């Protein structure tokens, strides 16, 4: 007798992806400067640990918020009781104001259009539940965040069709790639319900161009489909060009209150910009009242605690703090990214030019034994088991070109990053020497063979 459901037994969660397997290997042998200095360094986790001191300083100066007090009086009982699915009004107002501030106040957000969720994972899944039936499809540009195979597909039954982007133009979306993905979905008898993009991109660490954003708006308008813009890295943009939200494009094109306006939805979270993934604070923003209503009902399965909302509403309402935090955090991200790029260059490795995020898209194609994904996995295993660095292979991000890797830089100390680059340089130097010796031996062998072939011909043997 079968005791578990088909969903519980199925293997479509994506947990066997090399992206997650790398985490498992790290957990078996985690690096610690004192306890385990030869362990695996975690460079596959996009966490922002660079500005905790700013958050901790605010908490120390605001003991009432941290102690669940209002005007010195405890409100613990109030926060401990049942809360409405809609969330605390003060927090929703503080959150949309923070979202506007990150975007340079070029756009504003209505608190009544926001739905709170337990992180961006929950937000993306809830949106897909609202917009598509099982068996229908969303188009996603490659490379994309490996967790999307789990977040968007596992419980919803929705399919992902890749928009194939390549290194020839820095992995930017093109009209041709969009149309080809749409046609591929039709050939597979999949009804396309929308496009989902991350802006800034995970794993590329780049912001979408004005041309790409306009292209997307034109495309969803012509196909009469939805667009989900996952903007959880919007506050991590540390260099030009600056971040342009999809909402800015809609405003500039005067698409307010049109059908397109109602088919564009934003996902946001405080996991990356504030470095609070453990707080589980995400949000859906939609101009479609029906989507907001449905997502609000669904949010009952993943609410943000009242205590968390109260604390963060106080923090985000402190405009002096948020202004300083955004600026200082971006400055630190820029400095740290510069150190990673410099360390990679010293090891003879380049990466895609980036201006956002907590990672770099690193080009290690020259280290492959062949231009195949088998060779990519072979290289990845050497890096994780021999070099003891957990990085994410491009194949886990559905990249079409072998040899690209996502390498994170904001979840460790500067000393640990320096050590990781030293380890990588030693590995690349040894690999380069080995390959050079092989080429030298091969050249000698070819020369010897050619010489003896000549002898055979001349001697008529």
């Amino acid at each position: 007798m079968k005791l578990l459901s088909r969903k519980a037994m199925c293997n479509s969660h994506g947990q066997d992806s090399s992206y997650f397997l790398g985490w498992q290997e790290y957990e078996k042998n985690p690096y610690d400067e004192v306890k385990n200095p030869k362990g695996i360094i975690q460079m596959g986790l996009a966490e922002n640990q660079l500005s905790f001191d700013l958050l901790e300083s605010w908490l120390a100066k605001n003991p009432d918020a941290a102690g669940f007090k209002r005007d010195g009086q405890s409100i613990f009982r109030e926060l401990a009781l049942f809360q409405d699915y809609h969330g605390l009004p003060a927090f929703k107002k503080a959150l949309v104001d923070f979202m506007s501030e990150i975007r340079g106040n070029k756009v504003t957000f209505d608190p009544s259009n926001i739905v709170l969720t337990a992180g961006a994972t929950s937000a993306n899944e809830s949106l897909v539940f609202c917009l598509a039936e099982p068996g229908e499809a969303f188009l996603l540009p490659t490379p994309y965040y490996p967790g999307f195979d789990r977040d968007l597909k596992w419980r919803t039954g929705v399919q992902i069709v890749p928009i194939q982007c390549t290194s020839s133009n820095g992995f930017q979306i093109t009209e041709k790639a969009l149309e080809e993905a749409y046609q591929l979905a039709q050939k597979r008898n999949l009804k396309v319900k929308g496009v989902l993009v991350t802006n800034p991109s995970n794993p590329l660490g780049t912001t979408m161009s004005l041309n790409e954003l306009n292209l997307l708006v034109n495309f969803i308008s012509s196909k009469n489909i939805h667009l989900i813009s996952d903007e959880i890295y919007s506050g991590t943009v540390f260099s030009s060009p600056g971040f342009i939200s999809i909402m800015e494009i809609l405003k500039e094109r005067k698409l307010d209150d049109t059908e397109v306006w109602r088919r564009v939805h934003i996902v946001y979270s405080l996991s990356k910009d504030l470095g609070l993934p453990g707080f589980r604070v995400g949000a859906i923003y939609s101009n479609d009242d029906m989507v907001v209503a449905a997502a609000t009902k669904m949010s009952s399965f993943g609410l943000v605690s009242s205590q968390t909302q109260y604390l963060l509403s106080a923090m985000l309402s402190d405009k002096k703090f948020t202004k300083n935090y955004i600026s200082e955090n971006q400055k630190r991200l820029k400095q740290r990214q510069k150190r990673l790029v410099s360390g990679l260059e010293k090891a003879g490795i380049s990466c895609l030019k980036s201006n956002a995020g907590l990672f770099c898209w690193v080009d290690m194609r020259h280290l492959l034994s062949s231009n195949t994904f088998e060779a990519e996995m072979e290289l990845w295993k050497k890096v994780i088991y021999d070099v003891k660095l957990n990085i994410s292979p491009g194949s886990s991000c559905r990249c079409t070109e072998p040899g690209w890797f996502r390498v994170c830089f904001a979840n460790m100390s500067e000393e640990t990053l320096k050590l990781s680059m030293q380890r990588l340089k030693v590995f690349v130097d040894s690999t380069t020497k080995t390959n050079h010796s092989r080429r030298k031996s091969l050249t000698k062998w070819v020369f010897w063979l050619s010489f003896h072939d000549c002898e055979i011909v001349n001697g008529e043997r």
Side-chain angles (χ1 to χ4, degrees):
M1 179 175 139
K2 188 173 77 168
L3 297 177
L4 298 179
S5 71
R6 186 168 53 197
K7 180 60 67 179
M9 297 291 287
C10 80
N11 193 33
S12 61
H13 180 277
Q15 202 70 29
D16 56 352
S17 161
S18 53
Y19 171 72
F20 293 110
L21 292 177
W23 285 18
Q24 292 174 22
E25 292 306 312
Y26 163 76
E27 287 166 1
K28 292 175 188 175
N29 183 25
Y31 168 81
D32 184 273
E33 186 178 356
V34 177
K35 297 177 182 177
N36 191 21
K38 294 186 178 179
I40 296 173
I41 295 174
Q42 175 64 288
M43 304 189 83
L45 183 59
E47 281 185 344
N48 181 9
Q49 299 182 22
L50 302 186
S51 298
F52 276 159
D53 62 309
L54 301 180
L55 301 174
E56 290 167 340
S57 176
W58 186 89
L59 289 172
K61 293 174 183 175
N62 295 270
D64 269 15
F68 306 127
K69 294 180 180 179
R70 186 187 296 127
D71 299 325
Q73 299 298 311
S74 174
I75 57 168
F76 174 78
R77 294 188 182 188
E78 177 185 327
L79 296 174
L81 297 177
F82 175 80
Q83 61 159 303
D84 193 326
Y85 298 162
H86 294 81
L88 301 182
F91 176 61
K92 293 174 74 172
K93 174 67 166 59
L95 182 60
V96 295
D97 286 349
F98 184 64
M99 290 169 64
S100 296
E101 187 176 7
I102 284 172
R103 291 157 180 79
N105 292 309
K106 295 175 183 175
V107 290
T108 57
F109 298 92
D110 185 344
S112 64
N113 289 355
I114 204 163
V115 180
L116 301 180
T117 63
T121 295
S122 177
N124 277 310
E125 187 192 49
S126 296
L127 252 184
V128 169
F129 262 121
C130 290
L131 304 180
E133 301 287 353
E136 295 180 336
F138 268 82
L139 311 181
L140 270 70
T142 62
Y144 61 74
Y145 164 55
F148 279 148
D149 288 323
R150 167 202 64 196
D151 301 352
L152 308 181
K153 294 169 55 178
W154 186 47
R155 296 198 301 179
T156 65
V158 169
Q159 300 299 306
I160 291 176
V161 177
I163 302 167
Q164 304 290 11
C165 303
T166 67
S167 61
S168 60
N169 70 341
F171 296 97
Q172 290 195 3
I173 300 170
T174 64
E175 186 176 3
K176 182 172 181 286
L178 277 169
E179 194 57 47
E180 285 178 350
Y182 191 84
Q183 296 302 326
L184 175 61
Q186 291 195 317
K187 285 180 183 177
R188 291 169 54 185
N189 294 317
L190 295 172
K191 183 178 180 180
V192 176
K193 293 305 293 285
V195 180
L196 187 151
V197 298
T198 57
N199 180 31
S201 168
N202 175 11
L204 300 178
T206 56
T207 48
M208 295 187 74
S209 67
L210 189 62
N211 177 64
E212 288 176 285
L213 292 167
N214 277 306
L215 188 64
L216 286 169
V217 172
N218 294 340
F219 184 75
I220 67 159
S221 181
S222 66
K223 303 297 184 185
N224 198 31
I225 58 177
H226 296 272
L227 172 62
I228 299 175
S229 182
D230 186 331
E231 300 184 356
I232 67 169
Y233 289 97
S234 52
T236 69
V237 182
F238 50 78
S239 295
S240 60
F243 173 67
I244 306 172
S245 171
I246 191 65
M247 289 296 288
E248 290 181 49
I249 302 299
L250 297 178
K251 287 278 188 181
E252 287 174 7
R253 294 177 58 163
K254 295 180 171 54
L255 291 170
D256 313 45
D257 299 322
T258 63
E259 268 303 307
V260 175
W261 175 258
R262 286 182 282 276
R263 291 202 307 273
V264 174
H265 321 279
I266 290 176
V267 166
Y268 186 60
S269 164
L270 296 180
S271 296
K272 311 302 179 181
D273 292 349
L274 275 188
L276 300 175
F279 277 45
R280 308 311 305 147
V281 180
I284 296 167
Y285 189 87
S286 176
N287 293 307
D288 188 315
D289 292 341
M290 292 181 67
V291 170
V292 172
T296 300
K297 293 173 188 174
M298 295 187 70
S299 71
S300 64
F301 300 105
L303 296 172
V304 182
S305 76
S306 296
Q307 293 88 344
T308 298
Q309 291 185 56
Y310 176 73
L311 172 62
L312 293 179
S313 65
M315 181 181 286
L316 297 182
S317 296
D318 185 339
K319 294 306 173 188
K320 183 178 179 182
F321 166 76
T322 56
K323 182 180 180 181
N324 177 66
Y325 178 89
I326 292 169
S327 174
E328 182 61 26
N329 183 56
Q330 290 170 346
K331 192 184 301 179
R332 294 180 186 189
L333 287 171
K334 183 176 183 177
Q335 291 171 345
R336 183 57 64 84
Q337 186 258 14
K338 188 176 179 180
R339 291 190 184 280
L340 174 64
V341 172
S342 175
L344 290 170
E345 286 176 349
K346 288 175 182 175
I349 297 172
S350 62
C351 56
L352 185 72
K353 186 177 180 181
S354 61
N355 65 322
L358 313 174
F359 33 72
C360 284
W361 189 236
V362 177
D363 185 359
M364 298 173 71
R365 289 176 290 181
H366 60 296
L367 298 175
L368 298 180
S369 58
S370 63
N371 187 32
T372 64
F373 285 109
E374 288 77 16
E376 179 182 277
M377 291 308 295
E378 178 187 321
L379 176 59
W380 174 70
K381 288 176 181 177
K382 287 180 181 176
V383 172
I384 197 166
Y385 293 117
D386 299 340
V387 189
K388 291 191 168 52
L389 302 178
N390 176 37
I391 60 178
S392 305
S395 54
S396 70
C397 303
R398 300 293 186 255
C399 184
T400 57
E401 302 171 24
W404 291 89
F405 291 81
R406 191 191 75 165
V407 179
C408 299
F409 57 76
N411 63 319
M412 67 195 75
S413 69
E414 196 168 315
E415 292 74 22
T416 302
L417 178 63
K418 184 178 179 181
L419 174 62
S420 68
M421 292 298 98
Q422 289 172 348
R423 289 184 182 182
L424 192 59
K425 187 177 188 309
V426 170
F427 169 71
V428 173
D429 287 348
S430 63
T431 301
T432 304
K433 286 178 183 176
T434 301
N435 290 340
H436 179 71
S437 298
R438 284 176 181 169
R439 284 195 294 270
K440 199 170 181 181
S441 298
L442 182 62
T443 303
K444 286 181 179 178
W445 182 77
V446 170
F447 175 79
W448 181 88
L449 187 62
S450 301
F451 176 78
H452 283 274
D453 281 346
C454 290
E455 275 192 326
I456 292 170
V457 171
N458 293 335
E460 296 181 0
R461 283 188 289 170

